[in-house]
Amino acid sequence: MSKLDWNSVDFETMIIHAGQEHDSAYGALATPIYQTSTFCFETVEEGAAKFANEIPGYHPVYTRGGNPTTRAFELKCAAMEGGEDAVATASGMGAVGSVMLAFLKCGDHVIFDNSVYGGTNHVATTNLPNLGIEVSRVDTADLEALKAAIRPNTKMVYFETPNNPMIKVTDVAAVKAAVGKDIRVVVDATFAPPPIQHVLKLGADIVLHSITKYINGHGDALGGVVVGSAADMKQLRANCMTKINGCPPSPFNSYLVLRGMKTLALRVERHCQNAMAVAKYLEQNPYVKTVYYPGLESSPSHELACRQMENGLFGGILSFELKDDVKGLSSFEAGKKLLNNMKIASIAVSLGDPDTLIEHPASMTHAGVAPEARLAAGITDGLVRMSVGLESAKDLINDLEQAFEKI
Ligand code: LCS
């Protein structure tokens, strides 16, 4: 299978086979877990040649720099995104941090969307300024604001699409056209992995994911990945993985991700169908003020999402805000009661698991974001985020209905 051109087969075929060679020792179908920290050489000469990359093929020497199980995971991700190469990390934040360390230096300027995951927000507000890297925040969906923020030393634009937790869609092709070839466009596509969208094909230079979410898909492993050109991935690997932040995934986690990815196409389709059903239910619920889901025709992101997201798939996550004065309660108090009364959905952060997860961004995932910045990005105290799982959509809607009745 490895001889196939992945562009010649459908996503469902590619995602099962890409990256996986039959095991050279025994022909195992599933990629073995190479649970080892180091790799032995027959001779000093062989070791030196492997360190110097003089032997053709893949020759790991130490698992922080490379491991066969992790390499299979990287190659599957590169094929998934249509990129030339990929670098796997121990978590999504490992991917975010690696990209920053590899491609920015003191005196550079980077533009971040005004609403990103709380951990990434910390990188933008604290870690990068501490390193002498200038940071601007704009709504990257507003192209005029984006263009106005560009400086002579701007090296990178960074955004999530759809973003966490407002599910705002940013036009990747339009951003690339607006910033030009010398500024790297880095997209965190965690909320909508392939087959929902392929952001490299839209013009992004680099795509990264928290693998912890849909790509592993089972809520049992942290991971991250960065995909892009061979030259960029070489720079990333040289600057980060082996020298500075040392955050490779464990071989066991790489195995779990490879296992999870085999069902990515099936899972994602069901997540999206269920999310659409729940969004439609919430939209007509008398206690709900606004539903943020790009699949809804009422969403300001809908027209762009139809162009940018593929096959009528709009992702499995939605957010919604309750009306104020629901049974005399503020939207925040009503939201708390709703969450506390859910029976199927678990109150938890993270997303993309088979289990439906529901959380309160202002006090959980985005608690670290300054209150003014939170409100400016639309993250009100009454906002609820739901990662719609793989249960029956009917059961999920019934669960919401009974929880609304208990407010
Ligand atoms: N990027 C996005 C868009 C995320 O939502 C997250 C985590 C990360 C990167 C970091 O990935 P991690 O290191 O956790 O693998 N988002 C989380 C969330 O919304 N709830 O819990 C974690």
Side-chain angles (χ1 to χ4, degrees), residues 30-304:
T31 304
I33 308 170
Y34 286 89
Q35 193 69 32
T36 182
S37 54
T38 197
F39 298 83
C40 302
F41 315 119
E42 293 301 327
T43 61
V44 174
E45 290 77 9
E46 183 196 324
K50 285 185 174 172
F51 265 86
N53 275 327
E54 284 168 3
I55 305 180
Y58 183 67
H59 297 291
V61 295
Y62 186 62
T63 282
R64 175 150 48 77
N67 176 285
T69 316
T70 300
R71 188 63 188 146
F73 153 31
E74 290 175 338
L75 292 174
K76 201 185 270 300
C77 288
M80 170 186 81
E81 287 289 4
E84 287 177 355
D85 200 1
V87 175
T89 55
S91 69
M93 285 316 300
V96 175
S98 297
V99 164
M100 300 302 149
L101 288 177
F103 300 114
L104 296 174
K105 61 180 187 321
C106 181
D108 286 347
H109 172 238
V110 49
I111 302 170
F112 274 85
D113 184 53
N114 59 4
S115 178
V116 289
Y117 168 59
T120 309
N121 190 70
H122 185 82
V123 171
T125 55
T126 309
N127 300 131
L128 296 182
N130 282 348
L131 295 172
I133 295 164
E134 298 166 22
V135 176
S136 296
R137 305 300 294 270
V138 301
D139 175 359
T140 49
D142 177 347
L143 291 177
E144 291 314 310
L146 176 65
K147 279 194 246 178
I150 295 174
R151 300 177 191 170
N153 57 342
T154 305
K155 293 286 157 48
M156 184 189 288
V157 175
Y158 184 101
F159 59 91
E160 300 165 355
T161 187
N163 78 337
N164 188 350
M166 301 308 298
I167 331 293
K168 174 186 74 178
V169 180
T170 289
D171 189 335
V172 179
V175 167
K176 186 61 196 170
V179 304
K181 68 174 180 28
D182 294 334
I183 298 178
R184 274 194 184 82
V185 172
V186 179
V187 177
D188 179 340
T190 298
F191 270 40
I196 305 174
Q197 57 179 0
H198 292 83
V199 301
L200 293 181
K201 290 186 185 142
L202 296 168
D205 298 291
I206 289 176
V207 58
L208 66 86
H209 293 272
S210 166
I211 289 283
T212 317
K213 312 300 189 303
Y214 290 101
I215 294 177
N216 177 51
H218 291 74
D220 52 10
L222 290 185
V225 77
V226 186
V227 187
S229 69
D232 274 353
M233 294 308 101
K234 194 173 172 198
Q235 183 168 340
L236 186 73
R237 208 178 288 281
N239 282 309
C240 289
M241 295 308 297
T242 54
K243 290 192 180 145
I244 303 177
N245 60 353
C247 60
S250 72
F252 184 68
N253 276 12
S254 294
Y255 160 80
L256 286 176
V257 176
L258 283 169
R259 190 178 200 266
M261 285 180 81
K262 295 218 177 205
T263 54
L264 181 67
L266 281 172
R267 286 186 289 102
V268 158
E269 196 177 318
R270 175 62 80 86
H271 276 294
C272 294
Q273 286 165 357
N274 281 0
M276 182 67 104
V278 171
K280 284 188 173 158
Y281 160 78
L282 289 168
E283 196 178 31
Q284 53 75 49
N285 186 295
Y287 298 145
V288 175
K289 186 160 99 185
T290 318
V291 183
Y292 300 96
Y293 185 66
L296 292 176
E297 281 176 23
S298 58
S299 161
S301 293
H302 185 63
E303 187 266 330
L304 168 60

Side-chain angles (χ1 to χ4, degrees), residues 287 289 320-326 328-340 359-364 374 379-384 407:
Y287 298 145
K289 186 160 99 185
F320 59 98
E321 205 180 320
L322 297 189
K323 286 180 184 158
D324 260 322
D325 208 19
V326 175
L329 299 172
S330 68
S331 64
F332 177 45
E333 290 301 325
K336 269 204 289 196
K337 283 206 159 190
L338 179 78
L339 264 63
N340 287 339
E359 67 117 6
H360 177 238
S363 68
M364 297 176 186
R374 259 202 326 257
I379 309 168
T380 61
D381 283 349
L383 190 77
V384 173
I407 292 180

